[in-house]
């Protein structure tokens, strides 16, 4: 870390070029080297730059001076975030806004920016979180400068970086960041969270054996902490993983473990467990049990988690398609349409509508609707959905002896498989 990075950020905020900022103070090439960290500027140059940028002179001249009082504020802010006291975090920032405006120490400013990033992630302001990371964190730190930071800042940086890449669905690069935190961490709660995050990333990469290894460790830690809610979440992920490798017996076993530890009290994880049990029954062709359970999910979600209704309607429609109940499908489609929250939800529903057309022998409507879904999934890189639907459409064309179209869809399926 060096003062040049701060100068560059300030210059960009002011909308100034290097030549404009440095004019009459130093040569443009020399200033460029200052921003790049190749030359350490004199105090006289920094004072002139501070005046031109309209910032306190100490903000540029005291970059390596840590403030003990400010260190206490940072510790308090971090403690509030770690305990998920998010409303208090907002009031704390507002109360100390002046202290957080021009933080002299480069290290302490980075610490604050990392905490601000973490705050945005916790409040699910994901777009702002990504922007904060790319604009406020990434320019300050790279692998060459990381070792110069304190162990605590390194740990926080690795954790935030892992979250950033996970949020971007770049699961491979996020894992080493989380592993680095595990190596230095001594807090069992954070260790449990990290193991769970790594398990999720491995699940997304279809590395099921590794995912099971990490989620079992996470479950052990949460059990030791007597955090039954998080333990149930681990059981849910274990069930999903065993279902993914077609071990339905173990998948159902862990679903029931999760339900038991929650004492069957409705909540987000409880509803996830019920939903996944429905999927297991569907794979086993236990359609009556699956319909009964998904209806229970829908009723509970209306009061406990209405934002997740669509996924359960989609599961119910899948079951109804398998048993050929076209009359009920039409009614449920309208209910599902009312709770669609995104274009992706609407496309998922269109897949169901297309499949209904095929069930009703309306082949041309089926092809039109499903091809539109294929195009959307491809354009938006929804690889798993693309893989499933391209296989279905390829098989349809093959049955109709339209082998060229079937071949093109098969190639698309291979591409989706490679990327999913």
């Amino acid at each position: 870390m060096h003062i040049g990075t701060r100068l560059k950020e300030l210059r960009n905020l002011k909308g100034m070029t290097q030549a404009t900022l440095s004019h009459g103070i130093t040569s443009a090439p020399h200033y460029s080297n200052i921003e790049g960290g190749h030359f350490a500027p004199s105090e006289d140059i920094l004072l002139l730059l501070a005046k031109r940028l309209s910032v306190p002179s100490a903000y540029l001249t005291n970059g390596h001076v840590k403030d003990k009082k400010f260190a206490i504020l940072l510790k308090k802010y971090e403690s509030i975030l770690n305990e998920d006291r998010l409303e208090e975090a907002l009031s704390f920032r507002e109360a100390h806004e002046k202290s957080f405006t021009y933080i002299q120490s480069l290290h302490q400013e980075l610490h604050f920016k990392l905490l601000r990033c973490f705050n945005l992630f916790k409040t699910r302001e994901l777009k702002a979180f990504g922007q904060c990371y790319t604009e406020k964190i990434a320019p300050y730190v790279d692998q060459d400068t990381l070792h110069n930071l304190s162990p605590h800042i390194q740990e926080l940086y690795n954790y935030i970086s892992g979250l950033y890449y996970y949020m971007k669905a770049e699961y491979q690069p996020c894992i080493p960041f989380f592993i680095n935190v595990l190596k230095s961490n001594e807090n069992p709660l954070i260790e449990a969270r990290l193991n769970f995050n790594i398990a999720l990333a491995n699940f997304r990469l279809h590395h099921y054996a590794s995912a099971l290894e990490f989620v079992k460790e996470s479950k052990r830690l949460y059990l030791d902490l007597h955090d039954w809610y998080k333990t149930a979440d681990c059981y849910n992920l274990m069930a999903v993983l065993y279902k993914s490798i077609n071990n339905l017996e173990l998948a159902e076993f862990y679903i029931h473990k999760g339900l038991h530890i929650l004492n069957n009290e409705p909540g987000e994880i409880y509803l996830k467990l019920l939903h996944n049990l429905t999927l297991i029954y569907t794979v086993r062709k236990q359609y009556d049990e699956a319909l009964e359970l998904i209806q229970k999910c829908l009723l509970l979600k209306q009061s406990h988690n209405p934002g997740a209704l669509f996924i359960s309607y989609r599961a119910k429609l899948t079951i109804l398609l398998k048993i050929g109940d076209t009359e009920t499908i039409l009614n449920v489609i309208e209910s599902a349409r009312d709770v669609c929250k995104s274009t992706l939800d609407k496309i998922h529903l269109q897949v169901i509508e297309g499949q209904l057309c095929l069930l009703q022998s309306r082949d041309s409507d089926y092809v039109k609707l499903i091809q539109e879904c294929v195009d959307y999934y491809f354009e938006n890189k929804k690889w798993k959905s693309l893989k499933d639907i391209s296989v279905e459409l390829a098989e349809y064309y093959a049955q109709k002896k339209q082998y060229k179209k079937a071949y093109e869809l098969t190639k698309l399926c291979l591409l989706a498989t490679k990327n999913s």
Side-chain angles (χ1 to χ4, degrees):
M1 291 177 60
H2 53 82
I3 198 64
T5 313
R6 179 176 284 175
L7 284 166
K8 182 177 180 179
E9 182 180 356
L10 289 168
R11 178 176 60 77
N12 287 331
L13 285 172
K14 298 287 184 179
M16 302 171 72
T17 65
Q18 289 186 348
T20 302
L21 177 56
S22 61
H23 180 71
I25 297 175
T26 186
S27 68
H30 184 68
Y31 177 79
S32 179
N33 280 315
I34 291 172
E35 270 198 11
H38 305 300
F39 290 148
S42 67
E43 185 173 332
D44 289 343
I45 288 177
L46 289 175
L47 290 171
L48 292 169
L49 290 171
K51 184 176 181 181
R52 185 160 293 176
L53 290 164
S54 302
V55 298
S57 57
Y59 187 56
L60 296 186
T61 58
N62 292 345
H64 297 289
V65 179
K66 292 185 179 180
D67 185 323
K68 291 182 180 179
K69 290 183 179 179
F70 188 74
I72 295 171
L73 285 181
L74 287 173
K75 187 175 181 179
K76 176 65 175 176
Y77 185 31
E78 187 163 359
S79 175
I80 292 170
L81 291 176
N82 284 334
E83 294 172 12
D84 291 326
R85 289 145 47 199
L86 301 180
E87 290 185 6
E88 186 179 343
L90 175 60
S91 59
F92 182 81
R93 284 201 326 275
E94 290 174 346
H96 299 283
E97 184 177 2
K98 186 175 180 181
S99 298
F100 291 145
T101 302
Y102 290 110
I103 304 166
Q104 295 181 22
S105 164
L106 288 163
H107 282 78
Q108 289 180 322
E109 184 176 52
L110 176 61
H111 191 177
F112 172 73
K113 288 178 177 179
L114 286 165
L115 293 177
R116 182 72 185 106
C117 232
F118 192 32
N119 197 157
L120 290 168
F121 182 82
K122 279 182 169 283
T123 53
R124 311 312 292 167
E125 298 172 74
L126 299 183
K127 184 176 180 180
F129 166 74
Q131 186 176 357
C132 180
Y133 182 86
T134 55
E135 295 180 4
K136 306 293 186 181
I137 307 300
Y140 275 82
V141 187
D142 56 37
Q143 292 305 311
D144 293 330
T145 59
L146 185 60
H147 68 278
N148 293 324
L149 303 174
S150 69
H152 181 65
I153 299 297
Q154 289 185 45
E155 183 177 304
L156 190 56
Y157 167 77
N158 280 316
Y159 186 58
I160 299 299
S161 298
L163 293 176
Y164 171 75
Y165 284 106
Y166 187 90
M167 183 199 73
K168 288 185 65 183
E170 295 182 20
Y171 304 113
Q172 195 64 59
C174 89
I175 292 174
F177 285 112
F178 287 143
I179 294 287
N180 284 338
V181 182
L182 270 180
K183 291 176 181 177
S184 59
N185 174 71
E186 295 180 356
N187 183 322
L189 177 58
I190 294 174
E191 187 179 350
R193 289 175 181 169
L194 287 166
N195 275 283
F196 190 82
N197 290 346
I198 296 168
L200 277 176
N202 275 296
F203 167 62
R204 299 297 184 187
L205 293 166
H206 309 296
H207 300 163
Y208 301 131
S210 294
L212 279 166
E213 178 184 343
F214 283 102
V215 74
K216 285 178 179 179
E217 178 62 11
S218 179
K219 182 262 300 180
R220 183 190 68 79
L221 290 161
Y222 279 128
L223 274 173
D224 289 345
L225 291 164
H226 295 176
D227 190 331
W228 313 129
Y229 186 80
K230 291 294 187 181
T231 301
D233 204 9
C234 290
Y235 282 133
N236 182 61
L237 180 54
M238 290 165 70
V240 170
L241 289 164
Y242 279 116
K243 178 179 176 291
S244 299
I245 58 177
N246 297 315
N247 191 332
L248 298 183
E249 185 177 350
L250 274 179
E252 185 175 359
F253 172 77
Y254 284 113
I255 291 282
H256 288 297
K257 291 272 284 186
L259 293 172
H260 176 73
I261 207 167
L262 290 173
N263 290 320
N264 289 314
E265 293 181 7
E268 183 179 353
I269 301 304
Y270 176 82
L271 291 169
K272 283 183 180 179
L273 288 160
L274 286 188
H275 179 89
N276 286 325
L277 185 55
T278 298
L279 300 183
I280 293 170
Y281 287 158
T282 304
V283 173
R284 286 177 172 162
K285 300 183 180 180
Q286 297 173 246
Y287 298 130
D288 289 342
E289 293 92 334
L291 278 173
E292 182 181 349
L293 202 55
I294 203 65
Q295 190 59 36
K296 181 179 179 180
C297 279
L298 286 165
L299 290 172
L300 288 170
K301 281 184 176 181
Q302 287 173 5
S303 55
H304 293 281
N305 192 10
L309 277 167
F310 178 77
I311 190 173
S312 291
Y313 275 119
R314 189 181 175 196
K316 183 174 182 177
L317 285 164
T318 300
I319 300 165
L320 292 169
L321 279 168
K322 290 183 180 295
I323 62 178
D325 188 347
T326 56
E327 185 176 344
T328 306
I329 290 171
L330 289 169
N331 293 327
V332 176
I333 282 175
E334 292 311 309
S335 298
R337 201 185 312 280
D338 290 340
V339 296
C340 283
K341 297 177 67 178
S342 65
T343 302
L344 182 59
D345 285 350
K346 293 175 182 177
I347 293 296
H348 287 329
L349 189 58
Q350 184 170 316
V351 169
I352 302 290
E353 292 176 298
Q355 292 165 336
L356 176 61
C357 289
L358 188 60
L359 199 62
Q360 297 171 325
S361 301
R362 294 159 50 203
D363 287 40
S364 60
D365 290 336
Y366 165 76
V367 170
K368 178 179 180 295
L369 290 171
I370 297 300
Q371 187 59 56
E372 287 175 358
C373 296
V374 168
D375 294 340
Y376 177 88
Y377 290 144
F378 176 74
E379 290 168 8
N380 291 275
K381 298 180 180 180
K382 303 300 179 183
W383 301 117
K384 186 179 184 305
S385 298
L386 177 61
K387 180 177 72 172
D388 294 341
I389 201 62
S390 58
V391 166
E392 177 186 316
L393 193 54
E395 289 176 352
Y396 169 83
Y397 281 131
Q399 289 173 1
K400 299 296 182 180
K401 298 183 180 180
Q402 298 181 42
Y403 298 120
K404 185 176 180 180
K405 289 182 178 179
Y407 174 69
E408 292 301 320
L409 265 297
T410 302
K411 286 200 302 182
L412 199 58
C413 175
L414 290 172
L415 175 66
T417 301
K418 180 180 177 182
N419 286 285
S420 64

